[in-house]
Amino acid sequence: MTTTTRMATTAEPLTKPPSAAPPRRGSASRHRSTPLTIAMLAVLAYFLLPLFWLLVASTKSTQDLFNSFGLWFSHAPQLLTNVKQTFAQDDGVFVHWLLNTVMYAGVSAVGAALLAAAGGYGFAKFRFRGDRFSFNLVLGAVMVPATALAIPTYLLFAKAGLVNTPWAVILPSLVNPFGLYLMRIYAQDAVPDSLLEAAWIDGAGEARIFGTIVLRLLAPGLVTVLLFTLVATWNNYFLPLIMLNDPNLYPVTVGLSSWAAQAQNGGAGASSDMLALVVTGSLISILPLVVAFLLLQRYWQSGLAAGGVKQ
């Protein structure tokens, strides 16, 4: 056998046969759990059934609310009629209630989010005398229900002459201990110390660092606190009830409650379809919250992956 023949027989082939494709990750272990599926469907029904009932009830008259099946439409739906009557009732006071609610909730949410971001950033990145004690006070304030502070808050605002003004609803809503706690936890990992040190070396002041660097890094947590405060202030009932006496200053929660009281007691201005207007007004009042969640959910999604990959 010649040398050339030996080299040809011992040499490895230039191309290797294609290997089998690796199995998809998790495909073998993926399975369905019937009890878990049933439990998730039950939870889904628990959250969606009240909304479905509200949508169905908004299409009915007051008589149909009591005479027809609650979870299905009546023979003569009148959603548009109910909406028109809701906005026209009492010279369009429902529009004032909606605008008041937007103002109260919007100003409170933005202010509370900024204050929580500033406080959480300070607790996370700065050390000062009594910082742990102060943060423990914040944790203790989380456990105090807001209704327990309503009467003391009313007495303080009465002394200051702020009762029956928009500030009586806005100022208490700016204090959000849970939001401060959340922002402190989030700022510990979201704001790198090296970035702050680089900004300090460049001569940037604390206000500039917070406004141009920290707020951008804290955007997902900031939006979370904003949405929590927005929902809490939008749905707040007890605080505006004791702080406000002028119907033109009512938020939508207190306003609809006054309509419901008129419908039950037959007071002045009550109509036969007042209960239907209360239900329709409730449906209209939740639509801005749904829009807010749909517009801001991408910030939540971006925040879920924060810290998931080590650089």
Side-chain angles (χ1 to χ4, degrees):
M1 182 181 295
T2 62
T3 304
T4 304
T5 305
R6 289 196 302 267
M7 293 178 60
T9 55
T10 59
E12 295 180 0
L14 296 179
T15 59
K16 296 180 180 181
S19 58
R24 288 184 297 178
R25 188 175 184 180
S27 60
S29 60
R30 184 178 301 171
H31 61 278
R32 294 182 179 181
S33 174
T34 302
L36 182 59
T37 302
I38 295 175
M40 293 303 298
L41 291 177
V43 172
L44 184 65
Y46 175 80
F47 285 105
L48 293 184
L49 273 180
L51 296 178
F52 180 73
W53 177 90
L54 186 62
L55 176 63
V56 171
S58 300
T59 65
K60 300 179 180 181
S61 62
T62 300
Q63 292 77 14
D64 290 337
L65 286 175
F66 296 99
N67 298 329
S68 61
F69 180 59
L71 292 178
W72 197 244
F73 301 91
S74 63
H75 298 289
Q78 54 176 31
L79 177 61
L80 295 180
T81 302
N82 289 341
V83 171
K84 292 179 181 178
Q85 292 180 358
T86 301
F87 284 104
Q89 183 70 23
D90 294 339
D91 298 327
V93 71
F94 184 76
V95 177
H96 292 284
W97 295 341
L98 277 180
L99 294 178
N100 292 338
T101 306
V102 170
M103 181 187 66
Y104 299 153
V107 175
S108 300
V110 174
L114 291 177
L115 289 177
Y121 166 68
F123 277 117
K125 297 302 178 180
F126 294 93
R127 295 294 174 262
F128 52 90
R129 181 177 300 177
D131 56 346
R132 291 187 177 181
F133 176 75
S134 301
F135 188 69
N136 289 333
L137 287 180
V138 173
L139 293 180
V142 173
M143 306 303 296
V144 178
T147 54
L149 301 176
I151 301 301
T153 304
Y154 173 81
L155 296 177
L156 290 175
F157 278 67
K159 289 289 185 180
L162 295 178
V163 174
N164 204 32
T165 64
W167 295 110
V169 179
I170 294 175
L171 291 180
S173 302
L174 295 177
V175 181
N176 190 344
F178 176 74
L180 194 151
Y181 167 76
L182 182 65
M183 293 304 298
R184 192 254 188 183
I185 300 301
Y186 189 81
Q188 284 182 336
D189 296 328
V191 182
D193 294 335
S194 59
L195 186 61
L196 298 178
E197 293 174 357
W200 291 331
I201 293 175
D202 291 340
E206 294 296 341
R208 183 179 179 183
I209 293 175
F210 179 75
T212 59
I213 299 177
V214 175
L215 283 182
R216 295 184 179 182
L217 296 175
L218 297 181
L222 196 70
V223 172
T224 302
V225 177
L226 187 145
L227 284 176
F228 282 163
T229 309
L230 181 70
V231 173
T233 309
W234 192 283
N235 295 329
N236 197 354
Y237 171 74
F238 188 60
L239 181 65
L241 178 65
I242 66 174
M243 289 290 187
L244 303 176
N245 298 323
D246 187 0
N248 291 323
L249 295 177
Y250 284 170
V252 70
T253 52
V254 180
L256 291 177
S257 176
S258 66
W259 276 4
Q262 290 180 15
Q264 292 178 358
N265 301 327
S271 62
S272 59
D273 283 338
M274 186 65 78
L275 285 180
L277 302 186
V278 173
V279 175
T280 306
S282 301
L283 176 66
I284 297 173
S285 66
I286 68 172
L287 295 180
L289 292 180
V290 175
V291 173
F293 271 87
L294 292 178
L295 292 178
L296 298 176
Q297 66 175 347
R298 62 189 183 94
Y299 293 98
W300 274 6
Q301 294 174 357
S302 62
L304 292 177
V309 179
K310 297 297 182 182
Q311 300 293 336

